[in-house]
Amino acid sequence: MVSEETLEVPDHLSAAQADFSRAVAFIDGTFVPLSEARIPVRDFGLMYADMTYDVVHTWRGGFFRLEDHLDRFEASCAGLRLAPGLPRNALAALLAELVDRSGLADTLVYFACTRGQAPPGSRDPRTAANRFFAYAQPLVLRGQPDEMRRGLDATISRDIRRIPANSVNPVWKNTHWGDFTRALFLAKDAGFDTTILLDQEGNVAEGPGFNVVAVTREGLLAAEAGVLEGISCRTMMEIAADLGIAGRYGTLAPEILAAADEAFITSTSCGLFPLTRLDGAPIGSGRPGPVTTRLLNTYYRRKNEGWRITPVASLLPNTSRRAS
Amino acid sequence: MVSEETLEVPDHLSAAQADFSRAVAFIDGTFVPLSEARIPVRDFGLMYADMTYDVVHTWRGGFFRLEDHLDRFEASCAGLRLAPGLPRNALAALLAELVDRSGLADTLVYFACTRGQAPPGSRDPRTAANRFFAYAQPLVLRGQPDEMRRGLDATISRDIRRIPANSVNPVWKNTHWGDFTRALFLAKDAGFDTTILLDQEGNVAEGPGFNVVAVTREGLLAAEAGVLEGISCRTMMEIAADLGIAGRYGTLAPEILAAADEAFITSTSCGLFPLTRLDGAPIGSGRPGPVTTRLLNTYYRRKNEGWRITPVASLLPNTSRRAS
């Protein structure tokens, strides 16, 4: 029997250590501290949740899978008929400038396009001037480092179901989180760390900002019904394949998740985060398992080696590139 | 046969005639022109559509059904666990002050409570400081006065269904409009004025910001499945009862709507608006019908007589009451 790896938790990504005063935003054509970035109350992004966004992260000064996030953002904009008004190269350069201005190496970079404001009296979204904004802030782990060592205890939301794809297409990243928020309150009330929502047919969909993956005898099984196509989930599938671990997207019944050997959630803010209990009952050993551990450790090792990393400096115009 | 009434269209409520420069907002404790009212981009109201709102209107200097709108706002806040931080009396006084400061007699008054911002790094909605804001702007008719005379041509959205109540409870007024917005784009593409969404069972739910009412041999039939409890819809039901016209809430199949004698939509911005075509085919005569006409005319007559009107001045603290 091979000795098991130990989960290498990125302790430096705790919120307590982050300097949020460095967060920088770009809005209405100017750079401002994130705390000063504001949007008109009549922007349809606020009034009607009419917007899209994406979140990419930098690791040691380089974007991770930037092209994939830009692809998804462009697809979301096209699907929702939003025009950020920035060609792809300019968008990448702008995100790089935000990171550069923050002076941070490990960041979360949020970028959004809202419908904007229509002329007074108009409710027609076709008449609105779309608005782009973005910001870079310190990368912080979803949850505490100690939570990562023990893993999450999630509850399956029984009363609140994920908004179905024939109402709001989850592939176009959106802010329709009312189901998540409601279910999260109920989960916290009951003492759980988070919540997992089912689709209308009763299969696992997703949780607030994460995909769900079960590790079974057959390998990884990622819930695919009516969910956002998570880039971190894809990353774990690719790493698993390289490690000789099978993986597929498919229907994930909650009973299969409960009976899995291991489980984890995936998100840009953590890569993956172990899911060790479901409604209080242990999943497998009730501790982060060997597959989960290998995937996460490999994920960090690869990022450290520059895998799928685009250096921020390589995207900056020469005139604004800082000495570092 | 009794001679039919003529639809009395409020021509003065066209957007072209409105002075939007008078619109006033209250946000973060101060009054500002609406055009300057902004909220932080990290407010969960924007990030996660985590907010509620309501819209009341004033007519000739008085709020119409203010208590009903305050009741609904309080119920929405309680349901969504939002605390606007204003007792009911103070809220009413604040809305009155907004109208007073605008100098307008006929206004739409929007008031909202967002989840607000959580501490940096937190996604837990329980840690956020809720934010209240409100504004008064000129009351403008949904659509043009001429459109009111001919009525709307709506298309039934076949591909996009209304977000179901087990995902987002429609009774708590919310900004989850992605289904409406998508369906509205498709409707406008096809040359229709607006769209009507069905629920997951295929019955009429609601349209973007309005309830749907059919007028049949049995009287009014308002779609009730998974919809916001519209106050204008209730108003029309009450007026109908007083006129000896039966009315009820129930399941409204699109075929029943198509075969109705008349139909209309209800919304605070218009009271009612005739719906005269469905997917291009006339509903009844294809013109605003006698019941629709009587209801609308009675609605305006009653408001002019002060029915369910609370004078704005009666809610102002004495010190801030203006001479008028």
Side-chain angles (χ1 to χ4, degrees), chain A residues 39 81 161 167 176 178 189, chain B residues 39 81 161 167 176 178 189:
Chain A
I39 187 165
R81 302 203 198 179
R161 296 290 175 97
S167 293
H176 287 62
D189 283 351
Chain B
I39 71 160
R81 302 205 197 176
R161 297 290 175 96
S167 293
H176 286 62
D189 284 350

Side-chain angles (χ1 to χ4, degrees), chain A residues 76-302:
Chain A
S76 295
C77 286
L80 296 168
R81 302 203 198 179
L82 293 163
L86 277 172
R88 188 175 173 113
N89 285 351
L91 174 52
L94 176 61
L95 302 185
E97 185 166 358
L98 280 166
V99 176
D100 189 54
R101 284 174 178 258
S102 78
L104 297 165
D106 303 333
T107 67
L108 272 183
V109 182
Y110 177 106
F111 50 114
C113 185
T114 69
R115 187 70 61 198
Q117 286 173 263
S122 169
R123 297 177 177 222
D124 188 340
R126 297 174 307 169
T127 66
N130 300 173
R131 170 179 277 113
F132 175 84
F133 71 90
Y135 56 84
Q137 65 172 45
L139 176 65
V140 293
L141 201 60
R142 163 187 286 275
Q144 299 299 319
D146 278 351
E147 287 178 317
M148 193 170 231
R149 287 186 184 89
R150 67 169 167 81
L152 299 172
D153 185 358
T155 183
I156 298 278
S157 169
R158 298 288 169 185
D159 296 333
I160 314 294
R161 296 290 175 97
R162 183 67 185 120
I163 295 170
N166 72 347
S167 293
V168 180
N169 189 337
V171 171
W172 302 328
K173 197 167 168 76
N174 64 75
T175 59
H176 287 62
W177 278 46
D179 48 352
F180 289 144
T181 300
R182 177 84 184 146
L184 197 54
F185 267 108
L186 298 177
K188 300 272 188 191
D189 283 351
F192 295 101
D193 297 316
T194 192
T195 183
I196 293 172
L197 271 63
L198 308 179
D199 65 14
Q200 298 285 335
E201 286 70 45
N203 294 307
V204 170
E206 55 191 341
F210 59 79
N211 291 111
V212 180
V213 183
V215 183
T216 71
R217 223 167 306 176
E218 285 82 40
L220 308 188
L221 174 57
E224 73 168 353
V227 305
L228 178 75
E229 293 171 356
I231 291 170
S232 299
C233 188
R234 200 191 308 165
T235 296
M236 295 307 158
M237 286 289 188
E238 292 173 5
I239 292 176
D242 292 346
L243 296 176
I245 301 164
R248 68 184 179 88
Y249 296 85
T251 300
L252 176 57
E255 299 74 27
I256 301 295
L257 180 60
D261 296 327
E262 307 175 31
F264 55 83
I265 65 170
T266 61
S267 153
T268 290
S269 64
C270 58
L272 70 73
F273 207 104
L275 176 64
T276 51
R277 290 183 174 267
L278 202 61
D279 286 308
I283 296 176
S285 68
R287 291 178 303 114
V291 171
T292 301
T293 300
R294 284 182 72 194
L295 291 173
L296 187 70
N297 290 354
T298 306
Y299 170 73
Y300 280 109
R301 269 179 228 141
R302 287 195 171 186

Side-chain angles (χ1 to χ4, degrees), chain B residues 16-41:
Chain B
Q17 292 184 44
D19 182 1
F20 286 97
S21 72
R22 289 181 172 273
V24 183
F26 174 84
I27 190 162
D28 295 334
T30 57
F31 293 92
V32 294
L34 175 55
S35 59
E36 294 172 18
R38 292 174 169 247
I39 71 160
V41 296

